[in-house]
Amino acid sequence: MKNIVVLGSTGSIGKNTLEVARNLKDTFQVVGLSSNSRWELLAEQVEEFKPRYVALTDSGLAEKLKQRFHGSQTKILTGNHCLQEIVVKPEVDIVVSAVVGAVGLPAAIATIEQGKTLALANKESLVMAGHLVMPLAKKNQILPVDSEHSAIFQSLHSGKPCEVKRVIITASGGPFCDYPADKLSEVKPAQALKHPTWQMGQKITIDSATLMNKALEIIEAKWLFDLTAEQIDVVIHPQSIIHSMVEFCDGSVIAQMGLPDMKVPIQYALTYPERSPLDVRWFDLPALGNLTFRKPDVEKFPALRLGYHAAREGGTTGATLNAANEVAVQAFLDGQIRFTEIASHVEKVINHHHFIKNPCLEEILAADAWARQEMKKCLI
Ligand code: NAD
Ligand code: MG
């Protein structure tokens, strides 16, 4: 029996993780849950899984939860450090980090420092501070949940690290893949929130529409698999059947495929190195028909270029890009900026940030805070 904590249990990845845990209840016990809103859904999850700990960052909502579960076995934590408090509990074996944004970084570091396995969906923590997080982790202590990185991780089993030539990350292309470039500045949040192949939280759905998600994934892959930016290619594959590939030095290309369903990479991260049965839709290639591929249009989606830039530069560039993007995405959702301004404003913020080559955690957090302020100035 493995004890798991799900950070961000009320989100898209969080709910899928609980479905995996529900189906494998003889293998996994949910001992911790967390959320920063949706307390009623969190309460339902507490009823079902009876975790020992629940972290609810909003103290007003935490009070409601405390009243509801008064006298029960579940301890309710709140405040700025409640995610870290929960992951360091001695009985925890695996932490699934499915929170969105920079808030995931301190909990990721605490998880690794305590020697627990980190099943990582929160790519932002590696984008911000991969150079700090990766050296703390033992081999396979961080298991990727992001579907592309799970695919690369699985494909890498076919060879040795020194035999890897490059990785090819696939991208669906998002809802605007075929949309005229000169009309992109007019698109509304409702259009950008309609992803063609994946059902996800709002922030990553907008990131998928700008291709900033792919930019973040380039940086995530660099850190997870110790690659250079030059070893990472992106290809548009609208059907999202091939989740990513690894090309080895002998020309063999190993791909991991399947119908798009986040439960597959989530479960693999939880059961690794084993596999367990999962009730997925039948993989019917003739019914799928064609798998197609094309080059991404970097002029139309400049976020991709920013991802490569941050992967090459390292230092504080990833944290700056991530924080500026978080604020810009929210501003777009709130109708304050145009769709195309997300990437252009992020680029401006990156271009005049104070670059530090080998920043410590405080410097990373300072770069994050500075980038948020700078982006807010772009909104006035
Ligand atoms: P979501 O918006 O659906 O859920 C986010 C969760 O994080 C919620 O439970 C929310 O309560 C919690 N949260 C948000 N802000 C918080 C804060 N300030 N403090 C504490 N908790 C907070 O997001 P999602 O789509 O599930 O994505 C979660 C993470 O997984 C992101 O980093 C995303 O990039 C990554 N990811 C998601 C998918 C997907 O299919 N949804 C795929 C790959 C990677
Ligand atoms: Mg992904």
Side-chain angles (χ1 to χ4, degrees):
M1 203 70 175
K2 290 257 168 76
N3 288 336
I4 65 172
V5 165
V6 186
L7 302 180
S9 62
T10 56
S12 162
I13 293 287
K15 286 188 285 182
N16 273 303
T17 305
L18 291 181
E19 206 172 321
V20 168
R22 193 177 284 126
N23 292 336
L24 293 177
K25 47 176 162 317
D26 295 336
T27 316
F28 298 109
Q29 185 173 359
V30 177
V31 295
L33 296 171
S34 98
S35 171
N36 79 333
S37 56
R38 304 186 71 182
W39 80 276
E40 279 135 331
L41 172 59
L42 186 62
E44 280 172 32
Q45 295 176 342
V46 173
E47 296 276 3
E48 180 183 351
F49 291 95
K50 304 193 173 29
R52 285 177 225 173
Y53 310 101
V54 176
L56 185 49
T57 34
D58 183 309
S59 56
L61 297 181
E63 215 29 65
K64 291 188 184 187
L65 207 61
K66 274 183 191 163
Q67 282 169 16
R68 168 98 171 255
F69 292 99
H70 183 71
S72 84
Q73 303 270 323
T74 302
K75 194 167 172 209
I76 291 148
L77 312 167
T78 187
N80 289 339
H81 301 290
C82 62
L83 300 185
Q84 289 103 290
E85 278 175 54
I86 225 173
V87 301
V88 301
K89 297 290 181 196
E91 60 269 54
V92 174
D93 298 308
I94 304 176
V95 174
V96 180
S97 180
V99 293
V100 59
V103 69
L105 176 60
I109 292 178
T111 301
I112 295 165
E113 281 180 338
Q114 293 295 314
K116 327 249 186 211
T117 299
L118 177 63
L120 187 67
N122 177 257
K123 61 193 94 186
E124 293 91 339
S125 39
L126 284 184
V127 170
M128 292 174 75
H131 68 295
L132 299 177
V133 173
M134 292 311 295
L136 293 173
K138 291 193 282 292
K139 193 171 181 323
N140 296 333
Q141 193 184 347
I142 303 179
L143 296 168
V145 167
D146 214 348
S147 56
E148 296 77 2
H149 302 74
S150 178
I152 295 169
F153 181 65
Q154 295 180 55
S155 303
L156 282 172
H157 295 349
S158 292
K160 299 192 188 112
C162 64
E163 295 162 352
V164 173
K165 190 166 166 198
R166 62 173 177 148
V167 302
I168 304 162
I169 300 182
T170 53
S172 72
F176 304 127
C177 199
D178 298 315
Y179 205 79
D182 59 348
K183 299 238 161 48
L184 268 185
S185 66
E186 306 301 326
V187 303
K188 298 283 170 267
Q191 292 167 279
L193 285 169
K194 281 203 193 99
H195 194 276
T197 46
W198 296 98
Q199 285 290 321
M200 310 179 285
Q202 283 204 335
K203 194 252 177 187
I204 184 175
T205 306
I206 300 300
D207 285 347
S208 300
T210 56
L211 292 204
M212 188 63 87
N213 183 48
K214 233 22 76 175
L216 302 180
E217 290 182 355
I218 291 167
I219 308 168
E220 181 186 14
K222 166 196 149 121
W223 290 118
L224 271 177
F225 307 117
D226 194 19
L227 301 166
T228 63
E230 287 65 36
Q231 284 178 296
I232 306 170
D233 275 343
V234 172
V235 67
I236 303 292
H237 167 46
Q239 298 83 11
S240 299
I241 297 297
I242 295 187
H243 301 309
S244 279
M245 301 164 243
V246 175
E247 183 181 23
F248 289 93
C249 55
D250 62 354
S252 290
V253 179
I254 307 292
Q256 189 263 346
M257 299 191 222
L259 295 173
D261 183 340
M262 285 308 294
K263 287 195 290 300
V264 178
I266 292 169
Q267 178 169 298
Y268 189 64
L270 291 177
T271 61
Y272 177 81
E274 316 292 332
R275 291 184 188 270
S276 291
L278 179 64
D279 193 13
V280 286
R281 281 184 295 145
W282 182 244
F283 188 62
D284 184 351
L285 274 175
L288 287 169
N290 297 318
L291 301 185
T292 58
F293 307 94
R294 67 180 120 140
K295 259 181 173 317
D297 184 341
V298 183
E299 293 304 314
K300 185 171 160 188
F301 297 107
L304 259 190
R305 183 166 37 77
L306 301 181
Y308 277 110
H309 172 71
R312 277 192 202 100
E313 292 277 298
T316 39
T317 307
T320 306
L321 173 145
N322 178 65
N325 180 58
E326 281 189 35
V327 177
V329 168
Q330 193 54 53
F332 169 67
L333 287 170
D334 294 342
Q336 285 178 281
I337 60 172
R338 291 171 183 273
F339 180 76
T340 42
E341 285 174 324
I342 299 176
S344 63
H345 287 342
V346 170
E347 182 160 22
K348 268 185 247 158
V349 174
I350 291 177
N351 283 348
H352 68 275
H353 97 281
H354 171 63
F355 178 73
I356 303 174
K357 183 70 203 158
N358 204 1
C360 63
L361 184 59
E362 286 67 36
E363 288 166 328
I364 287 290
L365 297 176
D368 173 286
W370 178 87
R372 285 170 200 273
Q373 285 307 320
E374 274 313 286
M375 181 53 86
K376 282 182 190 146
K377 286 187 202 161
C378 297
L379 308 179
I380 300 165

